[in-house]
């Protein structure tokens, strides 16, 4: 298939471009580089041995998008191009509404104009808010706890509505749990700008000496060791799920929504212990109060993704830490 990958220079996007090419698909990246480095794509070219066409376009720019659609005959679009910091979304809600909701609408409009009807959308477990129980099935109640979460929920609703109204529009909505790790080459990985919000990049930056210690946000949760429990999933497993999703639509599959997680939860202390074990580095810690909006524990039911796509996460927590550490130690300052 020929696939437009919006946000293809970002963390999950770049890994997905690698897996699409490895599976024999043709890729054109569309990325504004608002939160990604063009160097990621040079690294993707090194890994795959193929040239990757990259259009520096913001998905809200309808005319520029139309230009890219006019030059290619796409079978599908994968849409990663969104803002994803929960904390930042409280400071800049309108920026999040504009990028994440307007961006998705403009992209779907240009797809319709170009006659492209297959769409893979990056959603998040954030649409479950504080879930009532785990493992979480896709049928669980949807609620949001941040402006960021609201953008994902609204975009999901628009996609679902469009697929009801327009028989030519078929979508895969993928709800990610906690993506971590990196490509095994160590050439691409997560490179957050500024202070990392998320656990694994923070641990990596402590281990490489960029930050003195990890703050653990809360050790009084009702979990096995008091720290938050999440479903960490290797980014390469996640990337492969995108290949399955786009191929499923390519074979005529109907619109669907699936969780992408391992089905297994790990606490913050378990992640730190695994990281220390595989990296041989110490990660100094301190305990801090709970972070506003955090939930004690949640993990996915990945059954539907297995049944529908034949997808199952292969890599365990040690492998996630090993690959994250390889990337960070090979590129201590990220894509500089
Ligand atoms: N944590 C720390 N210290 C840190 C960072 C995180 O203790 O410096 C803890 C958190 O309190 C939490 C766990 O590590 O218990 C994981 O936190 P992350 O920030 O890595 O991930 P979240 O589960 O909070 O958030 C992720 C995505 C969001 C998404 C959310 C729900 O980053 O985009 O899952 O799906 F909205």
């Amino acid at each position: 298939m020929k696939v437009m990958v919006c946000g293809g220079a970002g963390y999950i996007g770049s890994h997905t471009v690698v897996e699409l090419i490895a599976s024999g698909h043709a890729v054109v990246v569309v990325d504004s580089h608002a939160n990604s480095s063009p160097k990621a794509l040079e690294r993707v070219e090194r890994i795959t041995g193929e040239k990757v066409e990259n259009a520096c376009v913001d998905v809200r720019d309808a005319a520029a998008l139309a230009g890219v659609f006019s030059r290619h005959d796409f079978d599908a679009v994968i849409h990663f191009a969104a803002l994803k910091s929960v904390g930042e979304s409280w400071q800049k809600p309108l920026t999040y509404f504009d990028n994440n909701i307007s961006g998705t609408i403009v992209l779907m409009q240009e797809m319709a104009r170009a006659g492209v009807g297959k769409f893979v959308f990056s959603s998040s477990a954030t649409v479950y808010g504080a879930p009532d129980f785990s493992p979480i099935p896709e049928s669980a109640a949807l609620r949001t706890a941040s402006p960021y979460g609201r953008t994902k929920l609204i975009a999901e609703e628009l996609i679902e509505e469009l697929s009801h109204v327009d028989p030519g529009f078929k979508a895969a909505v993928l709800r990610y749990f906690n993506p971590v790790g990196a490509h095994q080459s160590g050439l691409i990985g997560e490179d957050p700008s500024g202070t990392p919000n998320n656990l694994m990049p923070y641990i990596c930056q402590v281990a490489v000496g960029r930050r003195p210690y990890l703050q653990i946000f809360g050790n009084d949760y009702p979990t096995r060791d008091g720290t938050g429990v999440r479903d960490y999933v290797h980014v390469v497993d996640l990337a492969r799920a995108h290949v399955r999703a786009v191929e499923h639509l390519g074979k005529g599959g109907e619109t669907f929504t699936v969780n992408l997680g391992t089905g297994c939860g790990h606490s913050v202390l378990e992640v730190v212990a695994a990281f220390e074990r595989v990296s041989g580095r110490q990660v100094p810690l301190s305990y801090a109060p709970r972070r506003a909006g955090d939930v004690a524990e949640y993990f996915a039911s990945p059954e539907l993704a297995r049944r529908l796509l034949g997808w199952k996460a292969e890599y365990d927590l040690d492998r996630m830490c090993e690959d994250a550490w390889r990337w960070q130690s090979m590129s201590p300052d990220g894509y500089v």
Side-chain angles (χ1 to χ4, degrees):
M1 294 171 77
K2 186 163 194 182
V3 186
M4 174 190 278
V5 182
C6 299
Y11 173 46
I12 306 173
S14 57
H15 288 80
T16 300
V17 172
V18 168
E19 297 304 318
L20 284 165
I21 293 172
S23 299
H25 300 293
V27 172
V28 174
V29 169
V30 167
D31 198 305
S32 70
H33 299 299
N35 194 24
S36 71
S37 170
K39 291 212 172 96
L41 295 175
E42 293 170 16
R43 305 279 183 92
V44 167
E45 289 177 345
R46 266 174 70 186
I47 293 169
T48 60
E50 283 197 23
K51 188 101 198 74
V52 177
E53 185 175 334
N54 177 26
C56 185
V57 165
D58 189 302
V59 287
R60 291 165 300 174
D61 183 344
L65 267 185
V68 183
F69 278 111
S70 72
R71 291 195 294 275
H72 300 276
D73 193 8
F74 291 112
D75 297 297
V77 173
I78 306 183
H79 179 30
F80 296 101
L83 302 175
K84 59 153 200 173
S85 161
V86 174
E88 186 187 52
S89 77
W90 287 104
Q91 313 305 321
K92 304 177 183 170
L94 290 166
T95 305
Y96 273 67
F97 300 163
D98 186 33
N99 276 272
N100 294 9
I101 303 171
S102 307
T104 302
I105 295 171
V106 171
L107 178 55
M108 294 192 299
Q109 265 170 337
E110 292 312 314
M111 285 175 63
R113 284 201 181 100
V116 181
K118 295 176 177 43
F119 190 52
V120 179
F121 179 70
S122 298
S123 190
S124 163
T126 196
V127 299
Y128 299 118
D132 301 321
F133 53 84
S134 284
I136 310 174
E138 289 79 359
S139 56
L142 302 181
R143 47 176 91 104
T144 67
S146 69
Y148 161 74
R150 179 70 58 189
T151 68
K152 290 293 169 189
L153 193 51
I154 290 175
E156 279 200 8
E157 287 168 354
L158 299 176
I159 290 163
E160 197 183 318
E161 187 71 20
L162 185 60
S163 65
H164 283 144
V165 173
D166 176 356
F169 181 79
K170 306 288 180 198
V173 173
L174 307 180
R175 292 182 180 151
Y176 310 152
F177 280 67
N178 288 56
V180 297
H183 190 263
Q184 66 168 0
S185 64
L187 289 171
I188 55 173
E190 186 168 13
D191 181 22
S193 49
T195 309
N197 295 308
N198 299 116
L199 180 63
M200 188 66 88
Y202 208 105
I203 291 176
C204 286
Q205 291 194 8
V206 171
V208 85
R210 279 169 70 180
R211 301 188 187 271
Y213 57 89
L214 170 73
Q215 283 193 308
I216 296 190
F217 299 135
N219 61 349
D220 57 352
Y221 283 109
T223 58
R224 46 189 175 266
D225 60 24
T227 66
V229 169
R230 295 290 183 275
D231 187 337
Y232 297 93
V233 53
H234 197 294
V235 67
V236 171
D237 277 325
L238 206 63
R240 290 177 182 156
H242 290 73
V243 177
R244 297 287 177 99
V246 85
E247 289 175 350
H248 182 82
L249 295 176
K251 285 183 217 137
E254 292 298 323
T255 291
F256 66 94
T257 300
V258 291
N259 289 334
L260 296 179
T262 63
C264 179
H266 292 289
S267 73
V268 176
L269 286 173
E270 288 165 358
V271 175
V272 171
F275 188 92
E276 290 187 327
R277 194 168 57 242
V278 303
S279 68
R281 295 277 173 128
Q282 286 285 100
V283 179
L285 328 157
S286 84
Y287 288 102
R290 291 180 179 190
R291 188 169 63 177
D294 270 2
V295 172
E297 171 168 33
Y298 62 83
F299 47 93
S301 163
E303 280 314 299
L304 187 60
R306 191 182 55 74
R307 281 209 312 276
L308 199 65
L309 304 176
W311 176 86
K312 191 172 176 299
E314 282 175 28
Y315 298 127
D316 64 9
L317 181 61
D318 279 12
R319 177 65 187 268
M320 299 177 209
C321 293
E322 202 181 303
D323 288 338
W325 174 237
R326 186 179 304 106
W327 148 253
Q328 190 71 67
S329 46
M330 283 171 64
S331 297
D333 298 310
Y335 294 112
V336 285

